[in-house]
Amino acid sequence: MNANRAPLLRRWDPLVRIAHWGTVAAVIANALVTEEGSAAHVWVGFGLASLLALRLLWGFVGTPQARFSAFPPSPSRALAHIRDIAAGRHTIHASHNPLGALMVYTMWSCLAVIVATGIALSPPSGLSGNAISGRESQAEPMERLSATKVSTRHDGRGEHEDEEGTLTEAHEIAVNLLYVLIALHLAGVIFETRRAGPQIIGAMLPWPPRRRRE
């Protein structure tokens, strides 16, 4: 056994693992499978919202390692953790390490923005159709309106389109930021695995990892 490698001391509880891998599946589905603005895209978004809400609730009432109190966001602790890495020191954490904790909270915040803006952009009337983004087709033809109604409708629609444009931009920025965070998260997991062993990956696997015999 390599003395520099820490043994598998912890394993995330089932709800944390379900929320984690469910979120992974939802992000991949909406990034690569569903069409943006489609009903399927929206329903996957609702599923993602449910998983996020469940995980955040579990942060208050869940197992000790899953609670927010076990990995509070602390930039000073994160900097100290970076210094430990630079010095070659390795500390075993029962929950997320300080640097990982900051990443987790940042990703949750990003997911919350994605979910909130996505829901705001998706009216309930469009969930039964295939193209939610085609809101213009749902509007009453302008020819059927009187001149006064046309003017009123135009002003109101202009304000609505401005608001919709802002939400769309915020949604897209948050999605792109999430992709960057995912790349950094994967890089961090790979780095920690090479530095301290496979316990980080093993703790989140859907099945118990096998232990090698000494």
Side-chain angles (χ1 to χ4, degrees):
M1 179 178 178
N2 190 338
N4 295 324
R5 298 277 172 145
L8 293 170
L9 296 180
R10 65 177 170 85
R11 178 163 170 77
W12 291 107
D13 64 74
L15 192 146
V16 171
R17 284 181 277 131
I18 289 171
H20 177 273
W21 293 112
T23 299
V24 170
V27 170
I28 292 176
N30 270 2
L32 302 176
V33 180
T34 66
E35 182 181 355
E36 184 178 354
S38 66
H41 189 90
V42 174
W43 282 116
V44 171
F46 279 125
L48 177 59
S50 300
L51 289 170
L52 180 61
L54 183 63
R55 179 60 186 93
L56 295 180
L57 176 63
W58 198 239
F60 293 103
V61 300
T63 54
Q65 294 82 2
R67 295 189 181 188
F68 300 136
S69 58
F71 55 102
S74 173
S76 60
R77 291 183 182 179
L79 290 174
H81 182 69
I82 293 175
R83 289 194 292 268
D84 287 343
I85 293 175
R89 295 188 294 268
H90 177 245
T91 302
I92 298 175
H93 298 272
S95 186
H96 294 288
N97 66 53
L99 197 58
L102 288 183
M103 174 61 72
V104 168
Y105 286 108
T106 303
M107 293 182 76
W108 282 341
S109 299
C110 192
L111 285 169
V113 172
I114 292 172
V115 167
T117 54
I119 292 176
L121 286 166
S122 305
S125 60
L127 295 179
S128 60
N130 292 326
I132 303 227
S133 58
R135 295 177 180 83
E136 291 81 0
S137 62
Q138 298 175 5
E140 184 177 358
M142 301 299 289
E143 294 82 0
R144 299 181 183 179
L145 300 176
S146 64
T148 303
K149 289 183 178 180
V150 168
S151 177
T152 304
R153 177 77 169 179
H154 178 74
D155 293 340
R157 185 171 179 79
E159 294 177 0
H160 174 72
E161 287 179 347
D162 288 342
E163 180 181 354
E164 186 175 287
T166 300
L167 289 172
T168 300
E169 184 176 1
H171 187 77
E172 292 177 353
I173 290 174
V175 169
N176 290 328
L177 176 59
L178 179 64
Y179 294 155
V180 174
L181 293 174
I182 289 173
L184 292 175
H185 173 62
L186 292 175
V189 170
I190 293 172
F191 174 79
E192 284 294 325
T193 298
R194 296 187 63 179
R195 186 175 79 97
Q199 64 270 21
I200 292 180
I201 296 177
M204 191 59 78
L205 288 176
W207 56 87
R210 292 183 179 181
R211 300 291 299 275
R212 290 184 178 182
R213 295 181 178 180
E214 303 299 332

